[in-house]
Amino acid sequence: MKDDIRWVKTHCARMDHGGCGLLVGVKDNKIVKVKGDPDGFLNKGYICPKGVASPDRLTHPDRLKYPLKRAGKRGEGKWERISWDEALQYTAESLNKIKEEYGARGVAFGVGMPKGLEHFVLIRLANLFGSPNVIASQDVCHAPREITGIHTCGFYPVADFHQKSKLVILWGSNITSTNEEGEICSLLLEQLKQGTELVVIDPRKIDLVDKSKKWLQIRPGTDNALALGFLNVIIGESLYDREFVEKWTHGFEDLAEHVKQYTPEKVSGITWVPADLIRETAKLYATSKPAVIQWGNPIEHNTHTFDTVRALICLMAITGNLDVAGGNVAAHDPKIMGLGPFVRADLIPDKRKEMISAYHRVIPRLMTVAPSFFKKAVLEGVPYPVKGFYAMCSNPMLSYADSRQTCEALMRLDFVAVADLFMTPTAAMADIVLPVASQFEINDIGHYGIGHGFIVARPKVVDPPEECWPDMKIMNELGKLISPPDLWHDDYEEFLEDIVRPAGLTYSRFVEKGYLKGPDRFKSYEEKGFRTPTGKVELKLSTAEKFGLKPLPEFGGLPEDDDPEYPLLLTSSKSRYYLHSSYRWIEKLRKMRPHPKVEIHPETAKKYSINEGDEVIIETRNGKITQVATLTDTVDPRIINASHGWWFPEGSPETQYGWKESNLNMLTSAGKLGKEYGTPNLKGIGCRISGKVLAGKMEALKYTGSCKGAL
Ligand SMILES: Nc1nc2c(c(=O)[nH]1)N[C@H]1C(S)=C(S)[C@@H](COP(=O)(O)OP(=O)(O)OC[C@H]3O[C@@H](n4cnc5c(=O)[nH]c(N)nc54)[C@H](O)[C@@H]3O)O[C@H]1N2
Ligand SMILES: Nc1nc2c(c(=O)[nH]1)N[C@H]1C(S)=C(S)[C@@H](COP(=O)(O)OP(=O)(O)OC[C@H]3O[C@@H](n4cnc5c(=O)[nH]c(N)nc54)[C@H](O)[C@@H]3O)O[C@H]1N2
Ligand code: SF4
Ligand SMILES: [Mo]
């Protein structure tokens, strides 16, 4: 029996950013087992529960298996089955019609978390069609780190876990659950075994707090204040790297003067972190060489993200931890095709001026549009009308701030096409739904364009259902109908060849190698300087006036003012068992986390008469939802930690699978946005809770035809 199993090496994908090497056992075109590959260069045999369950996402009986066209009213849940030919023709005609009337910019192309190479094929599709509007979650996911990095020091400073560090700071990064961007926790855990010290900055007592030297239980949304407090201590006590600062930084004197106001005592009042702990941690970071900051999502989940990231890069720079082995580094790509040529950026030279976000004067180099600006264009025609939307790998009804508004925007569009594996609340609002082939069923390249200096091979292991197409194939064929056909391939798999050709490889040779990593090169600035206008790390931004940016990082107040009617602070974190809004239909995972849980301190729960397992109504100024109480002293009594991404695949299509009931983004607002990236406040929001039962156990609410249904 056992001998019939064929073992294939590939890399995990689409359960998070991916990266673990996997050994996949296949029998009769079915995956029978998945194990961590001991040779995996990032995971060395590690695999998480999502990885183990990942084949199950393909075999669910309700998986989309053929293209669908809306039959009833939008969102009513009535569909007719159509052929691929009809689906592509109808989509092309609808998009071309909008282009004729409103220009190509009247169509937006939407994508969520980067999942694979199709992310960049989508950007190419938008470029070739002539639309400058690619809508992505980058405003709340990595763009603040990447682009603020480029402005400050000429690169995106990623944590280098491949060389040993003396100290690691997990700054809002729950790496044992999220393994973000391929920073697989096994690399860090190995270092901890070998004596690397750890600091955790998190309002929750995450698993790794037990292994940490210090835990700073920060007030959500105040990371910029804490980073400024560290700068105050390190500069005030002359703990900075003098030689580096003199030779390689611009504006040190101004920064030093500016941070004098952020004394540990003052910062303690803002962040809830004791002043002595701020002092000790700042000293520890400055005196441990090399030290690295693994930064997480919360630093970009509020309107102050630009200041936070600026302050953090200033910290890395003045302590001499920038671009040194075991610090925060510029990762160098292997010799592969560059992003610009792949997406044909040359064909849309006016993109920067034409894109929706140009009107909002966001930071230069941000080349995707923040969802909140997209919705404004759809709902208010500002700065111009947007009427069409092609979305893949994303579920905006759950992932964009203010879900009710997202629903209204989807209702308002003339045409919506959604490509997904499963019928989701967003797909339920589409005119055309396209069934995709996904991880394990397609040849793919992972980590392209992510900025960590490597790409991984994700070869196909089994055949997809007959009418499920890879996104890359869908776009390759749609592209021929809505843009110059000669700029597309006969066979979409040529895209894979394009990427690896400069390395002298074919895709199949690349698969044999498994991954390509660029060179480990540090302190490149010693030869060429930093790639900024001054050639130095710009502690004070030399381009501030020109671009309307703040020259020095500031604490400009809390992301939201304290609100006595909403006395608790809402924060959230990703579940170990799901990817954002995805895969609640996988039984193995659902068993591990059947309900959306909200973590509440026992004292707080007592105050509101809430018991373990009760349904809890969570309310903010923007809306209310229900989640299930978990009482734990791992959170501060003044906060609650809710779950993100919940909808109910077991629900019914006419209610869009209960998208309102437990969805965190019913509680967020797209009203107040950070200037540089258009980022809304997702964490540190005033809220209140009560234990009253609302509509019975997680029962889906009836869709009322508009998005203003009762809640
Ligand atoms: N309040 C709040 N909002 C947040 C966040 C938060 O923490 N709090 N996190 C933010 C962040 S960091 C991000 S990145 C976004 C993520 O937002 P999204 O990317 O929109 O969310 P996902 O659930 O990752 O993916 C959406 C869909 O992709 C589908 N999918 C999976 N594989 C494939 C594939 O191969 N092809 C196609 N076509 N579809 C596929 C899944 O079935 C799923 O329906 O959400 C953001 N929104
Ligand atoms: N299992 C799983 N893995 C994922 C994802 C997923 O959905 N599920 N999503 C992927 C994506 S797209 C991304 S961007 C990454 C995100 O990966 P992470 O950055 O690790 O994401 P989060 O869980 O949002 O937040 C991390 C930690 O920040 C803490 N936190 C909350 N508020 C604050 C605050 O104001 N300040 C500080 N300092 N900490 C705070 C939370 O308690 C949590 O422990 O994960 C990727 N990996
Ligand atoms: S940690 Fe991420 S890449 Fe590794 S097995 Fe889990 S989901 Fe896959
Ligand atoms: Mo993300």
Side-chain angles (χ1 to χ4, degrees):
M1 272 287 276
K2 261 202 166 149
D3 296 339
D4 302 347
I5 297 178
R6 180 171 58 97
W7 288 95
V8 185
K9 271 181 189 261
T10 189
H11 284 90
C12 186
R14 297 154 203 268
M15 302 303 288
D16 57 24
H17 292 114
C20 289
L22 299 180
L23 288 169
V24 185
V26 186
K27 197 179 154 191
D28 301 331
N29 198 41
K30 283 220 168 59
I31 298 174
V32 289
K33 195 163 171 76
V34 177
K35 305 191 277 201
D37 180 355
D39 297 333
F41 87 109
L42 295 167
N43 61 316
K44 309 215 163 39
Y46 169 84
I47 186 167
C48 80
K50 283 189 279 104
V52 172
S54 61
D56 296 12
R57 82 192 116 164
L58 307 176
T59 49
H60 195 283
D62 294 344
R63 180 173 171 191
L64 292 167
K65 293 205 187 66
Y66 34 78
L68 297 173
K69 187 176 177 190
R70 172 163 68 84
K73 288 194 210 135
R74 184 169 290 165
E76 215 178 34
K78 297 200 176 116
W79 303 97
E80 74 177 282
R81 177 179 179 170
I82 54 170
S83 70
W84 266 105
D85 211 30
E86 285 171 284
L88 290 174
Q89 287 296 341
Y90 184 69
T91 304
E93 274 164 26
S94 307
L95 298 181
N96 283 333
K97 190 165 158 242
I98 293 169
K99 185 176 182 176
E100 268 166 38
E101 209 172 321
Y102 298 94
R105 66 187 191 177
V107 173
F109 292 83
V111 67
M113 183 197 88
K115 294 177 172 70
L117 194 58
E118 71 286 334
H119 189 93
F120 302 95
V121 178
L122 184 92
I123 301 175
R124 183 184 172 99
L125 180 66
N127 289 349
L128 299 194
F129 180 72
S131 172
N133 295 318
V134 173
I135 319 303
S137 303
Q138 275 198 295
D139 59 323
V140 294
C141 183
H142 294 90
R145 283 176 251 184
E146 288 167 29
I147 292 166
T148 309
I150 290 168
H151 285 274
T152 306
C153 60
F155 62 87
Y156 165 31
V158 297
D160 175 20
F161 284 160
H162 298 274
Q163 338 288 322
K164 196 165 174 349
S165 312
K166 180 103 194 330
L167 174 78
V168 175
I169 299 189
L170 291 180
W171 199 306
S173 171
N174 188 15
I175 193 167
T176 51
S177 282
T178 55
N179 298 285
E180 67 149 10
E181 286 193 336
E183 299 279 24
I184 307 295
C185 63
S186 35
L187 292 175
L188 172 63
L189 296 177
E190 188 53 41
Q191 287 207 26
L192 296 182
K193 265 193 225 152
Q194 292 174 16
T196 295
E197 287 179 334
L198 185 68
V199 166
V200 173
I201 301 175
D202 199 304
R204 285 188 311 137
K205 189 172 180 216
I206 58 171
D207 292 352
L208 282 176
V209 167
D210 283 342
K211 292 194 177 0
S212 69
K213 193 158 176 176
K214 294 184 191 300
W215 170 35
L216 284 64
Q217 195 174 16
I218 190 171
R219 172 186 168 131
T222 62
D223 296 87
N224 57 341
L226 185 64
L228 289 160
F230 281 8
L231 285 167
N232 169 292
V233 174
I234 292 169
I235 298 176
E237 301 197 18
S238 290
L239 297 170
Y240 55 92
D241 182 332
R242 264 172 206 284
E243 202 187 319
F244 182 88
V245 163
E246 267 164 37
K247 235 171 144 179
W248 293 114
T249 65
H250 169 79
F252 179 74
E253 296 306 323
D254 290 318
L255 179 72
E257 194 51 41
H258 171 73
V259 298
K260 276 188 185 154
Q261 59 185 304
Y262 300 110
T263 59
E265 282 67 27
K266 178 173 166 184
V267 167
S268 175
I270 300 165
T271 60
W272 301 343
V273 180
D276 283 347
L277 188 53
I278 296 175
R279 251 186 217 103
E280 289 159 19
T281 312
K283 280 187 206 163
L284 183 68
Y285 175 63
T287 54
S288 308
K289 299 273 163 83
V292 66
I293 297 176
Q294 163 62 25
W295 39 11
N297 244 186
I299 61 154
E300 50 214 1
H301 279 188
N302 65 59
T303 51
H304 299 327
T305 178
F306 177 69
D307 290 277
T308 312
V309 177
R310 286 267 301 132
L312 289 173
I313 300 177
C314 290
L315 273 174
M316 296 167 193
I318 68 162
T319 54
N321 282 308
L322 208 50
D323 213 17
V324 297
N328 286 85
V329 302
H332 300 277
D333 270 336
K335 236 178 131 198
I336 50 174
M337 189 177 203
L339 268 184
F342 186 81
V343 303
R344 293 304 305 263
D346 57 310
L347 296 179
I348 185 156
D350 289 334
K351 174 165 174 165
R352 201 179 294 277
K353 281 185 265 161
E354 280 276 308
M355 57 200 288
I356 295 166
S357 42
Y359 171 85
H360 299 280
R361 297 179 182 278
V362 296
I363 193 166
R365 302 182 98 122
L366 178 64
M367 297 308 279
T368 56
V369 176
S372 305
F373 293 146
F374 160 63
K375 290 194 281 177
K376 211 171 163 56
V378 175
L379 291 169
E380 297 168 30
V382 175
Y384 47 76
V386 169
K387 299 286 179 183
F389 192 41
Y390 179 95
M392 59 152 213
C393 293
S394 71
N395 192 0
M397 291 272 282
L398 276 294
S399 51
Y400 294 178
D402 193 346
S403 300
R404 216 181 269 282
Q405 185 198 50
T406 306
C407 180
E408 274 165 23
L410 290 172
M411 290 294 277
R412 192 74 68 81
L413 285 158
D414 287 352
F415 177 74
V416 180
V418 173
D420 207 301
L421 281 156
F422 211 87
M423 190 56 87
T424 65
T426 305
M429 302 292 287
D431 302 297
I432 287 284
V433 178
L434 303 169
V436 302
S438 191
Q439 167 73 356
F440 298 127
E441 300 171 334
I442 60 171
N443 284 317
D444 186 20
I445 293 178
H447 280 260
Y448 178 66
I450 301 287
H452 285 248
F454 59 84
I455 57 169
V456 294
R458 297 174 180 160
K460 168 176 167 170
V461 236
V462 291
D463 290 321
E466 209 177 320
E467 289 196 49
C468 294
W469 285 18
D471 290 281
M472 282 187 270
K473 176 174 171 179
I474 303 173
M475 289 185 281
N476 194 53
E477 297 313 311
L478 180 64
K480 290 174 191 167
L481 302 174
I482 63 169
S483 63
D486 53 314
L487 296 176
W488 295 94
H489 288 300
D490 287 340
D491 179 350
Y492 74 93
E493 293 207 339
E494 277 296 314
F495 284 124
L496 307 166
E497 305 291 346
D498 291 343
I499 300 279
V500 295
R501 194 171 295 118
L505 295 174
T506 58
Y507 182 70
S508 55
R509 269 292 292 137
F510 168 57
V511 168
E512 281 165 31
K513 281 176 159 294
Y515 70 97
L516 283 182
K517 188 174 181 312
D520 282 333
R521 242 187 288 132
F522 306 104
K523 297 193 177 179
S524 305
Y525 57 85
E526 285 185 339
E527 287 157 43
K528 304 177 210 143
F530 285 91
R531 293 172 71 180
T532 59
T534 55
K536 296 181 175 185
V537 180
E538 300 206 340
L539 304 175
K540 181 177 179 183
L541 277 184
S542 69
T543 48
E545 207 175 325
K546 183 169 150 200
F547 296 144
L549 299 169
K550 283 177 235 168
L552 293 163
E554 293 173 13
F555 174 72
L558 296 167
E560 285 189 2
D561 292 339
D562 282 330
D563 184 342
E565 285 182 47
Y566 296 84
L568 294 167
L569 284 180
L570 170 70
T571 195
S572 67
S573 51
K574 319 276 195 253
S575 162
R576 184 187 299 277
Y577 303 110
Y578 299 114
L579 171 68
H580 301 289
S581 70
S582 309
Y583 312 131
R584 277 154 187 90
W585 67 86
I586 299 179
E587 210 182 318
K588 266 186 208 135
L589 297 176
R590 192 67 183 270
K591 271 192 183 145
M592 289 193 243
R593 183 60 40 85
H595 298 300
K597 73 169 190 182
V598 52
E599 292 178 334
I600 307 172
H601 193 281
E603 274 173 29
T604 313
K606 200 167 162 206
K607 199 164 141 193
Y608 294 96
S609 310
I610 291 167
N611 297 310
E612 178 77 26
D614 280 359
E615 287 186 15
V616 176
I617 299 171
I618 311 169
E619 209 178 334
T620 66
R621 289 240 172 241
N622 214 50
K624 56 180 163 180
I625 61 170
T626 309
Q627 298 202 346
V628 177
T630 296
L631 308 195
T632 169
D633 62 5
T634 56
V635 295
D636 187 287
R638 293 164 284 187
I639 77 160
I640 59 168
N641 176 53
S643 299
H644 150 63
W646 270 90
W647 57 284
F648 299 91
E650 66 273 26
S652 60
E654 64 275 17
T655 59
Q656 288 84 39
Y657 310 95
W659 63 279
K660 294 180 212 168
E661 201 170 339
S662 300
N663 167 8
L664 188 67
N665 278 322
M666 290 294 291
L667 303 180
T668 57
S669 159
K672 187 176 171 192
L673 303 171
K675 179 194 163 300
E676 296 80 8
Y677 296 95
T679 306
N681 287 324
L682 301 182
K683 293 190 161 93
I685 302 168
C687 72
R688 61 185 179 214
I689 54 174
S690 55
K692 201 172 71 201
V693 172
L694 186 67
K697 269 264 178 244
M698 297 291 132
E699 191 197 325
L701 289 166
K702 195 93 188 123
Y703 179 61
T704 57
S706 87
C707 304
K708 304 239 182 248
L711 237 191

mmCIF file of all heavy atoms in Angstrom, residues 12-13 15-20 22 43 46-52 178-179 184, ligand 3:
data_model
loop_
_atom_site.group_PDB
_atom_site.id
_atom_site.type_symbol
_atom_site.label_atom_id
_atom_site.label_comp_id
_atom_site.label_asym_id
_atom_site.label_seq_id
_atom_site.Cartn_x
_atom_site.Cartn_y
_atom_site.Cartn_z
ATOM 1 N N CYS A 12 4.714 25.371 0.931
ATOM 2 C CA CYS A 12 3.384 25.727 1.402
ATOM 3 C C CYS A 12 2.998 27.104 0.851
ATOM 4 O O CYS A 12 3.862 27.951 0.605
ATOM 5 C CB CYS A 12 3.396 25.756 2.927
ATOM 6 S SG CYS A 12 1.780 26.021 3.663
ATOM 7 N N ALA A 13 1.705 27.318 0.672
ATOM 8 C CA ALA A 13 1.259 28.619 0.179
ATOM 9 C C ALA A 13 -0.200 28.859 0.494
ATOM 10 O O ALA A 13 -0.979 27.926 0.623
ATOM 11 C CB ALA A 13 1.434 28.694 -1.328
ATOM 12 N N MET A 15 -1.816 29.716 2.955
ATOM 13 C CA MET A 15 -2.368 29.533 4.302
ATOM 14 C C MET A 15 -1.795 30.635 5.198
ATOM 15 O O MET A 15 -2.246 30.847 6.311
ATOM 16 C CB MET A 15 -1.990 28.173 4.884
ATOM 17 C CG MET A 15 -2.413 26.966 4.071
ATOM 18 S SD MET A 15 -4.176 26.839 3.706
ATOM 19 C CE MET A 15 -4.905 26.413 5.281
ATOM 20 N N ASP A 16 -0.713 31.244 4.788
ATOM 21 C CA ASP A 16 -0.190 32.520 5.278
ATOM 22 C C ASP A 16 0.710 32.997 4.136
ATOM 23 O O ASP A 16 0.455 32.643 2.979
ATOM 24 C CB ASP A 16 0.524 32.409 6.646
ATOM 25 C CG ASP A 16 1.680 31.433 6.682
ATOM 26 O OD1 ASP A 16 2.258 31.144 5.628
ATOM 27 O OD2 ASP A 16 2.031 30.978 7.790
ATOM 28 N N HIS A 17 1.773 33.757 4.394
ATOM 29 C CA HIS A 17 2.600 34.162 3.255
ATOM 30 C C HIS A 17 3.343 32.969 2.644
ATOM 31 O O HIS A 17 3.902 33.061 1.566
ATOM 32 C CB HIS A 17 3.610 35.235 3.665
ATOM 33 C CG HIS A 17 2.957 36.542 4.013
ATOM 34 N ND1 HIS A 17 2.967 37.061 5.279
ATOM 35 C CD2 HIS A 17 2.270 37.416 3.267
ATOM 36 C CE1 HIS A 17 2.304 38.203 5.294
ATOM 37 N NE2 HIS A 17 1.871 38.447 4.090
ATOM 38 N N GLY A 18 3.385 31.873 3.367
ATOM 39 C CA GLY A 18 3.991 30.639 2.827
ATOM 40 C C GLY A 18 5.485 30.618 3.058
ATOM 41 O O GLY A 18 6.073 31.596 3.517
ATOM 42 N N GLY A 19 6.083 29.498 2.764
ATOM 43 C CA GLY A 19 7.540 29.423 2.909
ATOM 44 C C GLY A 19 8.039 28.083 3.385
ATOM 45 O O GLY A 19 9.165 27.691 3.082
ATOM 46 N N CYS A 20 7.211 27.335 4.145
ATOM 47 C CA CYS A 20 7.700 26.048 4.640
ATOM 48 C C CYS A 20 7.864 25.062 3.486
ATOM 49 O O CYS A 20 6.946 24.892 2.667
ATOM 50 C CB CYS A 20 6.720 25.454 5.657
ATOM 51 S SG CYS A 20 6.704 26.343 7.218
ATOM 52 N N LEU A 22 7.610 21.526 1.989
ATOM 53 C CA LEU A 22 6.686 20.436 2.313
ATOM 54 C C LEU A 22 7.018 19.179 1.524
ATOM 55 O O LEU A 22 7.514 19.261 0.394
ATOM 56 C CB LEU A 22 5.243 20.825 1.950
ATOM 57 C CG LEU A 22 4.608 22.027 2.632
ATOM 58 C CD1 LEU A 22 3.177 22.211 2.122
ATOM 59 C CD2 LEU A 22 4.617 21.900 4.147
ATOM 60 N N ASN A 43 12.093 26.292 7.199
ATOM 61 C CA ASN A 43 11.369 25.612 8.282
ATOM 62 C C ASN A 43 12.065 24.393 8.859
ATOM 63 O O ASN A 43 11.729 23.965 9.954
ATOM 64 C CB ASN A 43 9.981 25.206 7.797
ATOM 65 C CG ASN A 43 10.016 24.240 6.617
ATOM 66 O OD1 ASN A 43 10.784 24.413 5.674
ATOM 67 N ND2 ASN A 43 9.184 23.224 6.656
ATOM 68 N N TYR A 46 9.645 21.894 10.129
ATOM 69 C CA TYR A 46 8.476 22.419 10.863
ATOM 70 C C TYR A 46 7.249 22.484 9.950
ATOM 71 O O TYR A 46 7.352 22.726 8.758
ATOM 72 C CB TYR A 46 8.826 23.820 11.384
ATOM 73 C CG TYR A 46 7.663 24.611 11.940
ATOM 74 C CD1 TYR A 46 7.236 24.442 13.257
ATOM 75 C CD2 TYR A 46 6.989 25.541 11.147
ATOM 76 C CE1 TYR A 46 6.178 25.178 13.767
ATOM 77 C CE2 TYR A 46 5.922 26.277 11.651
ATOM 78 C CZ TYR A 46 5.520 26.092 12.958
ATOM 79 O OH TYR A 46 4.467 26.821 13.447
ATOM 80 N N ILE A 47 6.097 22.252 10.526
ATOM 81 C CA ILE A 47 4.829 22.478 9.817
ATOM 82 C C ILE A 47 3.787 22.873 10.859
ATOM 83 O O ILE A 47 3.830 22.384 11.987
ATOM 84 C CB ILE A 47 4.400 21.225 9.009
ATOM 85 C CG1 ILE A 47 3.161 21.530 8.168
ATOM 86 C CG2 ILE A 47 4.168 20.008 9.902
ATOM 87 C CD1 ILE A 47 2.847 20.465 7.112
ATOM 88 N N CYS A 48 2.884 23.786 10.491
ATOM 89 C CA CYS A 48 1.874 24.216 11.470
ATOM 90 C C CYS A 48 0.537 23.531 11.156
ATOM 91 O O CYS A 48 0.407 22.884 10.116
ATOM 92 C CB CYS A 48 1.747 25.740 11.440
ATOM 93 S SG CYS A 48 0.721 26.336 10.085
ATOM 94 N N PRO A 49 -0.470 23.681 12.035
ATOM 95 C CA PRO A 49 -1.749 22.992 11.788
ATOM 96 C C PRO A 49 -2.389 23.370 10.449
ATOM 97 O O PRO A 49 -3.041 22.551 9.811
ATOM 98 C CB PRO A 49 -2.638 23.458 12.955
ATOM 99 C CG PRO A 49 -1.716 23.989 13.994
ATOM 100 C CD PRO A 49 -0.464 24.414 13.316
ATOM 101 N N LYS A 50 -2.189 24.625 10.028
ATOM 102 C CA LYS A 50 -2.770 25.037 8.738
ATOM 103 C C LYS A 50 -2.096 24.298 7.593
ATOM 104 O O LYS A 50 -2.736 23.905 6.626
ATOM 105 C CB LYS A 50 -2.603 26.543 8.525
ATOM 106 C CG LYS A 50 -3.567 27.381 9.322
ATOM 107 C CD LYS A 50 -3.507 28.844 8.912
ATOM 108 C CE LYS A 50 -2.360 29.560 9.560
ATOM 109 N NZ LYS A 50 -1.222 29.859 8.835
ATOM 110 N N GLY A 51 -0.806 24.142 7.707
ATOM 111 C CA GLY A 51 -0.075 23.412 6.669
ATOM 112 C C GLY A 51 -0.573 21.981 6.565
ATOM 113 O O GLY A 51 -0.815 21.465 5.463
ATOM 114 N N VAL A 52 -0.767 21.351 7.730
ATOM 115 C CA VAL A 52 -1.239 19.956 7.739
ATOM 116 C C VAL A 52 -2.616 19.857 7.077
ATOM 117 O O VAL A 52 -2.899 18.931 6.316
ATOM 118 C CB VAL A 52 -1.299 19.423 9.198
ATOM 119 C CG1 VAL A 52 -1.957 18.052 9.252
ATOM 120 C CG2 VAL A 52 0.104 19.377 9.806
ATOM 121 N N THR A 178 1.862 33.398 13.209
ATOM 122 C CA THR A 178 1.680 34.015 11.883
ATOM 123 C C THR A 178 2.833 33.803 10.909
ATOM 124 O O THR A 178 2.643 33.935 9.709
ATOM 125 C CB THR A 178 1.415 35.527 12.026
ATOM 126 O OG1 THR A 178 2.464 36.115 12.786
ATOM 127 C CG2 THR A 178 0.085 35.797 12.679
ATOM 128 N N ASN A 179 4.008 33.562 11.366
ATOM 129 C CA ASN A 179 5.141 33.252 10.472
ATOM 130 C C ASN A 179 5.184 34.191 9.265
ATOM 131 O O ASN A 179 5.314 33.754 8.129
ATOM 132 C CB ASN A 179 5.002 31.810 9.953
ATOM 133 C CG ASN A 179 5.040 30.816 11.088
ATOM 134 O OD1 ASN A 179 6.078 30.535 11.639
ATOM 135 N ND2 ASN A 179 3.890 30.295 11.458
ATOM 136 N N ILE A 184 9.652 32.265 9.228
ATOM 137 C CA ILE A 184 9.106 31.082 9.892
ATOM 138 C C ILE A 184 9.705 30.996 11.301
ATOM 139 O O ILE A 184 10.908 31.143 11.490
ATOM 140 C CB ILE A 184 9.423 29.803 9.085
ATOM 141 C CG1 ILE A 184 8.958 29.951 7.629
ATOM 142 C CG2 ILE A 184 8.799 28.571 9.739
ATOM 143 C CD1 ILE A 184 7.485 30.075 7.398
HETATM 144 S S1 SF4 B 3 3.793 28.211 8.991
HETATM 145 FE FE1 SF4 B 3 2.875 29.017 7.106
HETATM 146 S S2 SF4 B 3 4.157 28.224 5.471
HETATM 147 FE FE2 SF4 B 3 4.549 26.972 7.301
HETATM 148 S S3 SF4 B 3 3.128 25.236 7.188
HETATM 149 FE FE3 SF4 B 3 2.126 26.820 8.363
HETATM 150 S S4 SF4 B 3 0.892 27.940 6.876
HETATM 151 FE FE4 SF4 B 3 2.413 26.795 5.747
#
